[in-house]
Amino acid sequence: MSRRGGGNHPDNRRSQPSPAQQSSVNAAGSGRGRGRGSRGGRTAGSSSSVHPPPPSYASAPVTVPPSVAAPVVPPSVAAPVVPPSIAASVASSSSAPNLPSPATVSIETLSAEVKQKATLQSAPSSQKAIRFPNRPDYGRLGRKIQVRANHFQLQVADRDLHHYDVSISPEITSKKVCRDIINQLVKMYRESQLDNRIPAYDGRKSLFTAGPLPFTSKVFVVVLTDDNRGSSSDSDRKKREREFKVTIKFASKTDLYNLTQFLRRMQLDCPYETIQALDVALRATPSENYIVAGRSFFSPSLGQPGPLGGGTEYYRGFYQSIRPTQIGLTLNIDVSSRAFYEPILVTDFVSKHFKLNFSRPLSDQDRVKIKKALRDVKVKLSHSGKIRSCKVTGVSREPLRDLTFMLEDNVTRKKVIDYFYEKYNIVLKHPVLPALQAGSDSRPMFFPMELCQIEPGQRYSKRLNEEQVTALLRATCQRPPQRENDIKHIVKQHHFNTDNVVKEFGINVREELALVDARVLPPPTLKYHGSGGGSKIDPQMGQWNMINKKMVDAGKVQFWTCICFASRMDPTQFCAELVNMCRSKGMDFNPDPLIPIYPGNPNQIERELVELQKKCKATLDRTKQAGRLQLLIIILPDFKGKSYDRIKRVCETELGIVSQCCQPRQAIKMNKQYLENLALKINVKSGGRNTVLNDAFEKRIPLVTDMPTIIFGADVTHPQPGEDLSPSIAAVVASMDWPWVTRYRGIVSAQVHREEIIQDLFKVIEDPQKGNRPAGMIRELLVAFFKSTGCKPKRIIFYRDGVSEGQFSQVLLYEMDAIRKACVSIEDGYLPKVTFVVVQKRHHTRLFPVNPKETDRSGNIMPGTVVDTSICHPREFDFYLNSHAGIQGTSRPTHYHVLYDENKFTADQLQCLTNNLCYTYARCTRSVSIVPPAYYAHLLAFRARYYISEVENSDSGSASGNRSATNFVLTLPSILENVKEVMFYC
């Protein structure tokens, strides 16, 4: 049974918050943060039982009339201007009076609308610039079961919530220091000036109270005393006391009436400012007691830290967010883990992290790497008898033995090693190492690494290597019962209901996980080659075996060869076994390589590949055979490094070779399962199809097989922290084989650093000779679909991965407009109906089985489990789908949120389509956790990053941390046409 590719979906690119998440509104808990697809909610007066679906949902229209498409703005925030033409650009042609009729739509008309979208770019992320579709109905298909969700219902007393703007002078960037200042203010003035109220503060600009303060605006003077231990002299005491002026100004007032009406009637827009106030109140005490990282809290007191290697360790913690749902407000709680610096000497960190030899001076390259790894890390020194803390700003260019500094007389220079020996009687052990630099470049301070210890509790935000990722996953992998118990323990441990701030705001948290109605959708029947019952298979528990089955549409490989970069392996037998496996699965695979298999030099990969292509071309010319090398099998080097990145870049962007890389430690075993996985990948790389949905074969998939339909998948991956010059990479794939919808063509594009909206979906290229011409990713894929199928798609289904909730409106408006323009650029009036679905994997909702008999072999909920009640959005069209079988740990359901739907999908139609597509993933015989078009886009975006990995990992530029260069976009090499014709990224 082929297992590779199922279950765990890599999410590296989502580890960093989006710009919208970093805004003060979202950071305070607006309820729409990055990838947090789970929703929670409970209101005063609601019963503890799960509310049945309201009957009004069944008749709720999908397309909202233009009269309700205006932005909903909290009272304290100025409304952005949304031009009517913008609303029209995302409304269906049948219901949007402001959109020109199809016959008159032009590129110029739609381009003018793009310029007007600038007003939306600055809109607060908590606002919704448009109204998303109502839920059309509730799904009914599948076997009914119940599951528990890590959502804890809230009850809220009737309070008048007041919002105040806070400004602190001088300005402070640290949230922790800001909280310290407000805490001190409350201690000093609570009884005398604050009417004895306990405020909730978000650490930035917003302060909330459960009732009015006795002023509309007031300035307070707060003296904050630093607790650093050291000398008690008057001069030191003055240095440790800082005075701040804090202005608290009334901003707005809200009560719970609108929230209650929203949750009961489910037809109003959510009052996010009210939810923000309650969320800040629930986060106030944890923010004081623990290390805050996004919406999560970490501390050694929440669980024993463990080593990750390389001078890092993990802390355990928990995630917390308040959500509006169909059962009211709920508190979404989940266990979490994160990497931190080990509190060790800097020399020990450098030794562990870089494995350097301190017996000789470091190279400039090593010095720059150390500078990047330690920049902004806080260290403490105690060599002088008192503890002193400082932040690392860099490292010295010279080693300690050569480093000098100017004495106070501004004339004499003294060696650092002499200074420490004469003043502190310390003989430095590592004089060849550079010194740590603190302070500014104009007034630097230097400290020996061996005397500096990293302060505890500092998040490690750099990229984790493979060993660290493996160690983190191993340490935090929990089976469902253990994770469920840990979540319960967190809720009980924190005594929310006895917390002073929580009580002040009248919030009560129930300690039982929400009981949720769910359904298990039936798996689809899959079609393989042949006729009759033997060609069909019904998966069981999200997996199946294709023994004695042949690919439904086998590819042909006439010209192939193999190059082996592994030093201790003879690839001849492996290639013979792989060819036999491909042939046994129905492929027309020539048993003889075009040129003899030969070993390659792993230190000269690029040269070896160029030479191999020349030999292949010469052989074809000599034998007078038409064609080119179709497949190159590559045995990777034994050692780890960037060889895979280099191979893919050279093959796909320079030589036009479709390649299949193999790990030597796997290839040498020649395991049948491994060979079958390779055969599945090779078949789609040669243009074949492994399997198709039987319903697609018989043309009975609703809203797909009735008319030409193209299914898109789109994703944007962002670089890791510290890679300030690295672009974000957008990838879009589209099905090319209607009605089978299994073969996808892909396109990639680099764009501005950390830009989430895909910029190149549609563009106009200025050609001085031919004039302006339309182009872009959507247009190119639509044209390719027409060439492949002979017809234009009349329906578009667009699965968009990786969008934060705070950017729903911006992404939808921009990208829907680009889709419209791309369609109209092909033919005037060509506007196929579009369904736009956001795919969210980075959320914290987990579903746990109630009945132990209703689980898969890993103890997780069964494949096909879908939830669209209780914990889902009160009004909008969303659902959670667990489409895969668990392998290890606790399965994470994928959250699908429909932002736009002209095709009028019912809940059953979209849920079943999405679930069934998850059984068509080409790389394994398992259903996968995320719909394949989005999965393929994710794979393709990461493949494109390999093309620029050598530039990204260079030490120039980004070491300085200069953010002024982030608008610079590196040029992404073009994928050659013959490679783009197949699913080379699989």
Side-chain angles (χ1 to χ4, degrees):
M1 180 186 302
S2 303
R3 305 176 69 89
R4 185 176 180 183
N8 293 329
H9 176 63
D11 288 308
N12 297 356
R13 83 228 189 281
R14 309 175 204 255
S15 60
Q16 302 307 315
S18 66
Q21 193 177 8
Q22 296 169 349
S23 69
S24 61
V25 176
N26 262 4
S30 65
R32 286 195 174 273
R34 179 173 181 82
R36 295 192 293 278
S38 58
R39 300 181 179 278
R42 185 78 185 158
T43 56
S46 58
S47 66
S48 60
S49 62
V50 176
H51 295 324
S56 61
Y57 268 48
S59 60
V62 175
T63 303
V64 181
S67 61
V68 297
V72 177
V73 186
S76 62
V77 185
V81 178
V82 183
S85 58
I86 301 303
S89 70
V90 296
S92 65
S93 57
S94 62
S95 63
N98 293 318
L99 184 70
S101 63
T104 61
V105 172
S106 66
I107 294 296
E108 290 74 17
T109 302
L110 295 175
S111 296
E113 295 172 353
V114 174
K115 297 179 181 179
Q116 300 178 51
K117 288 196 177 82
T119 56
L120 292 171
Q121 303 302 319
S122 59
S125 58
S126 65
Q127 300 177 38
K128 296 177 63 175
I130 60 173
R131 185 179 175 91
F132 302 130
N134 289 345
R135 188 183 305 277
D137 58 2
Y138 287 91
R140 294 175 176 84
L141 292 181
R143 180 166 55 88
K144 293 182 179 180
I145 63 170
Q146 285 190 318
V147 295
R148 280 187 292 267
N150 57 337
H151 287 241
F152 298 85
Q153 291 180 313
L154 303 182
Q155 289 182 333
V156 184
D158 191 12
R159 293 283 195 277
D160 287 336
L161 304 181
H162 286 66
H163 178 201
Y164 294 85
D165 289 332
V166 175
S167 61
I168 300 175
S169 179
E171 187 174 351
I172 299 295
T173 58
S174 168
K175 275 190 173 184
K176 184 181 183 306
V177 176
C178 288
R179 286 194 174 97
D180 290 341
I181 293 170
I182 297 300
N183 285 342
Q184 182 66 16
L185 185 150
V186 173
K187 288 179 183 177
M188 295 172 61
Y189 301 106
R190 178 183 169 187
E191 294 183 0
S192 60
Q193 304 289 336
L194 303 182
D195 204 17
N196 220 29
R197 298 199 181 279
I198 304 176
Y201 176 56
D202 72 345
R204 285 294 183 220
K205 300 293 185 182
S206 294
L207 183 141
F208 298 93
T209 58
L213 295 177
F215 54 81
T216 56
S217 180
K218 196 173 186 66
V219 178
F220 298 87
V221 176
V222 176
V223 176
L224 195 64
T225 303
D226 194 346
D227 291 332
N228 274 352
R229 292 165 293 175
S231 172
S232 60
S233 65
D234 290 340
S235 60
D236 283 342
R237 186 182 297 112
K238 288 179 182 178
K239 292 179 183 178
R240 290 184 285 113
E241 290 182 351
R242 291 180 291 173
E243 183 177 287
F244 299 92
K245 289 185 178 180
V246 181
T247 303
I248 298 178
K249 185 177 181 180
F250 174 75
S252 63
K253 173 188 174 183
T254 183
D255 57 37
L256 296 175
Y257 176 77
N258 287 338
L259 178 61
T260 303
Q261 293 302 306
F262 165 73
L263 294 167
R264 285 179 179 172
R265 296 173 60 191
M266 304 184 187
Q267 299 197 6
L268 306 173
D269 281 292
C270 186
Y272 284 108
E273 189 178 33
T274 305
I275 295 178
Q276 177 188 4
L278 301 176
D279 189 73
V280 172
L282 283 164
R283 295 174 58 83
T285 300
S287 297
E288 298 293 331
N289 297 335
Y290 305 122
I291 301 164
V292 183
R295 304 197 62 81
S296 297
F297 305 99
F298 300 93
S299 172
S301 64
L302 296 173
Q304 183 65 34
L308 291 178
T312 62
E313 61 184 1
Y314 66 86
Y315 281 10
R316 298 186 186 276
F318 66 95
Y319 167 93
Q320 173 183 315
S321 176
I322 189 171
R323 316 292 297 177
T325 70
Q326 295 170 24
I327 57 173
L329 290 183
T330 65
L331 190 64
N332 182 204
I333 300 279
D334 192 22
V335 294
S336 186
S337 297
R338 189 172 180 127
F340 284 77
Y341 286 92
E342 275 190 278
I344 55 179
L345 290 175
V346 172
T347 45
D348 292 338
F349 172 82
V350 171
S351 176
K352 289 182 176 183
H353 198 76
F354 298 106
K355 298 178 175 61
L356 295 175
N357 183 356
F358 293 166
S359 62
R360 62 176 184 271
L362 303 182
S363 65
D364 285 342
Q365 186 179 18
D366 289 336
R367 185 187 60 80
V368 171
K369 287 180 179 178
I370 293 173
K371 178 181 178 180
K372 291 172 68 175
L374 292 174
R375 187 179 180 87
D376 294 330
V377 173
K378 293 180 181 178
V379 297
K380 59 183 178 182
L381 305 93
S382 57
H383 60 274
S384 62
K386 62 180 181 180
I387 295 177
R388 177 178 185 180
S389 296
C390 61
K391 182 181 289 188
V392 177
T393 58
V395 296
S396 62
R397 293 184 176 275
E398 304 90 350
L400 273 170
R401 65 187 181 189
D402 301 328
L403 185 63
T404 62
F405 67 98
M406 186 71 70
L407 295 179
E408 293 181 357
D409 60 7
N410 289 328
V411 176
T412 310
R413 300 195 68 85
K414 193 173 190 67
K415 283 191 171 184
V416 171
I417 55 175
D418 293 340
Y419 172 81
F420 277 91
Y421 178 72
E422 294 172 5
K423 185 163 186 176
Y424 302 113
N425 197 28
I426 296 175
V427 178
L428 299 177
K429 300 176 183 177
H430 304 293
V432 297
L433 291 179
L436 294 181
Q437 178 182 329
S440 63
D441 290 335
S442 59
R443 299 188 62 183
M445 297 179 290
F446 295 107
F447 302 101
M449 292 185 185
E450 61 196 80
L451 301 181
C452 299
Q453 184 166 13
I454 297 175
E455 290 193 0
Q458 296 185 78
R459 286 178 287 159
Y460 182 80
S461 58
K462 309 295 191 300
R463 184 197 301 269
L464 296 176
N465 59 37
E466 289 184 21
E467 291 81 5
Q468 290 170 324
V469 171
T470 302
L472 184 60
L473 292 175
R474 187 183 300 117
T476 57
C477 182
Q478 295 176 303
R479 291 294 190 190
Q482 181 185 355
R483 192 183 194 104
E484 184 178 358
N485 288 333
D486 285 354
I487 291 171
K488 290 178 181 177
H489 177 71
I490 288 169
V491 175
K492 291 181 180 179
Q493 176 184 357
H494 288 86
H495 306 292
F496 288 105
N497 297 332
T498 60
D499 180 272
N500 289 333
V501 181
V502 176
K503 287 196 299 182
E504 173 87 2
F505 281 75
I507 304 172
N508 182 273
V509 182
R510 296 189 61 191
E511 296 186 352
E512 297 83 21
L513 279 78
L515 191 63
V516 178
D517 290 329
R519 292 169 288 115
V520 180
L521 300 176
T525 297
L526 302 178
K527 180 77 169 65
Y528 281 93
H529 181 73
S531 60
S535 68
K536 300 177 183 178
I537 192 168
D538 294 312
Q540 300 295 322
M541 281 295 175
Q543 54 191 354
W544 64 98
N545 202 314
M546 61 177 295
I547 291 177
N548 301 325
K549 295 287 191 298
K550 293 188 177 182
M551 289 125 171
V552 68
D553 184 11
K556 180 178 180 179
V557 177
Q558 178 66 24
F559 305 121
W560 69 277
T561 190
C562 172
I563 184 170
C564 179
F565 291 112
S567 58
R568 291 170 291 183
M569 180 182 171
D570 181 2
T572 306
Q573 183 61 32
F574 168 75
C575 288
E577 292 291 335
L578 180 57
V579 170
N580 288 336
M581 177 60 75
C582 291
R583 292 169 65 89
S584 73
K585 297 304 175 187
M587 290 188 66
D588 183 359
F589 207 117
N590 186 351
D592 300 318
L594 179 61
I595 62 174
I597 298 169
Y598 72 95
N601 183 352
N603 298 315
Q604 299 289 335
I605 286 177
E606 189 165 350
R607 189 185 68 180
E608 293 280 13
L609 292 174
V610 171
E611 288 299 317
L612 179 141
Q613 189 192 45
K614 289 180 180 178
K615 291 179 181 179
C616 291
K617 188 175 186 304
T619 300
L620 289 170
D621 292 342
R622 186 178 68 252
T623 57
K624 297 182 179 180
Q625 297 183 84
R628 61 186 302 159
L629 182 67
Q630 295 170 281
L631 176 69
L632 176 60
I633 299 170
I634 301 172
I635 312 297
L636 294 170
D638 301 308
F639 56 85
K640 294 181 180 179
K642 294 293 180 182
S643 55
Y644 182 84
D645 303 18
R646 193 170 297 115
I647 286 168
K648 292 300 183 181
R649 175 181 58 80
V650 173
C651 286
E652 294 164 3
T653 69
E654 296 179 15
L655 304 179
I657 297 174
V658 177
S659 60
Q660 178 57 58
C661 293
C662 309
Q663 290 287 351
R665 66 179 181 273
Q666 296 290 340
I668 202 168
K669 298 176 185 177
M670 289 185 283
N671 179 276
K672 284 193 66 176
Q673 180 177 305
Y674 180 66
L675 293 173
E676 185 176 296
N677 283 317
L678 292 178
L680 294 175
K681 298 174 73 173
I682 288 172
N683 187 53
V684 296
K685 288 181 179 181
S686 59
R689 279 187 290 261
N690 295 337
T691 184
V692 299
L693 297 170
N694 189 60
D695 284 351
F697 185 78
E698 297 179 358
K699 292 192 174 182
R700 58 183 188 191
I701 301 179
L703 298 178
V704 173
T705 55
D706 58 326
M707 65 174 65
T709 299
I710 186 170
I711 300 181
F712 284 91
D715 191 18
V716 178
T717 68
H718 303 295
Q720 291 289 325
E723 296 177 359
D724 295 343
L725 294 180
S726 301
S728 292
I729 295 180
V732 180
V733 303
S735 58
M736 293 286 118
D737 59 341
W738 178 83
W740 321 117
V741 292
T742 57
R743 185 186 296 151
Y744 290 82
R745 179 185 177 97
I747 305 175
V748 293
S749 174
Q751 56 190 42
V752 173
H753 180 82
R754 299 215 168 276
E755 173 58 64
E756 180 59 48
I757 297 173
I758 302 176
Q759 301 296 303
D760 286 344
L761 289 180
F762 177 81
K763 58 185 177 181
V764 177
I765 297 177
E766 297 181 1
D767 191 325
Q769 297 179 345
K770 299 181 180 180
N772 295 346
R773 57 186 179 87
M777 305 166 88
I778 297 293
R779 177 186 167 86
E780 181 178 333
L781 290 171
L782 290 173
V783 171
F785 180 93
F786 179 78
K787 292 180 179 178
S788 176
T789 64
C791 53
K792 291 182 300 182
K794 296 182 180 179
R795 182 185 293 116
I796 293 174
I797 302 172
F798 197 90
Y799 285 103
R800 178 63 158 91
D801 195 7
V803 181
S804 70
E805 289 181 299
Q807 290 186 303
F808 275 7
S809 295
Q810 293 179 18
V811 169
L812 176 65
L813 288 172
Y814 187 95
E815 296 183 5
M816 268 299 305
D817 185 72
I819 293 171
R820 290 281 192 224
K821 290 178 181 176
C823 293
V824 172
S825 73
I826 292 175
E827 180 182 346
D828 190 27
Y830 173 53
L831 292 172
K833 293 182 178 181
V834 181
T835 296
F836 194 106
V837 186
V838 166
V839 183
Q840 291 179 306
K841 191 70 174 173
R842 295 291 289 178
H843 60 80
H844 285 270
T845 289
R846 299 293 184 273
L847 303 176
F848 302 99
V850 171
N851 187 346
K853 296 180 180 179
E854 296 176 335
T855 65
D856 61 18
R857 288 190 299 180
S858 69
N860 279 285
I861 56 175
M862 291 180 291
T865 300
V866 63
V867 171
D868 62 359
T869 61
S870 301
I871 59 171
C872 291
H873 194 276
R875 182 187 61 78
E876 296 170 8
F877 187 6
D878 70 328
F879 58 92
Y880 293 94
L881 174 63
N882 187 81
S883 53
H884 67 297
I887 296 179
Q888 60 181 358
T890 302
S891 297
R892 187 202 316 252
T894 300
H895 184 228
Y896 296 91
H897 202 129
V898 180
L899 301 191
Y900 189 68
D901 183 24
E902 287 179 309
N903 292 300
K904 307 295 178 64
F905 273 95
T906 66
D908 279 332
Q909 287 172 341
L910 187 60
Q911 290 166 12
C912 286
L913 171 64
T914 304
N915 184 60
N916 291 352
L917 286 175
C918 290
Y919 286 78
T920 65
Y921 185 62
R923 302 207 301 181
C924 61
T925 54
R926 296 174 64 94
S927 60
V928 289
S929 63
I930 187 171
V931 68
Y935 206 151
Y936 292 145
H938 177 66
L939 294 177
L940 181 56
F942 266 89
R943 172 63 59 82
R945 195 164 294 284
Y946 294 150
Y947 303 156
I948 57 175
S949 63
E950 294 173 44
V951 179
E952 283 188 330
N953 288 280
S954 67
D955 295 315
S956 60
S958 60
S960 66
N962 179 17
R963 293 275 174 180
S964 62
T966 56
N967 288 331
F968 171 74
V969 179
L970 293 173
T971 302
L972 194 65
S974 299
I975 303 167
L976 298 183
E977 281 300 317
N978 70 298
V979 177
K980 286 194 331 190
E981 291 293 331
V982 298
M983 296 171 66
F984 66 95
Y985 45 82
C986 280

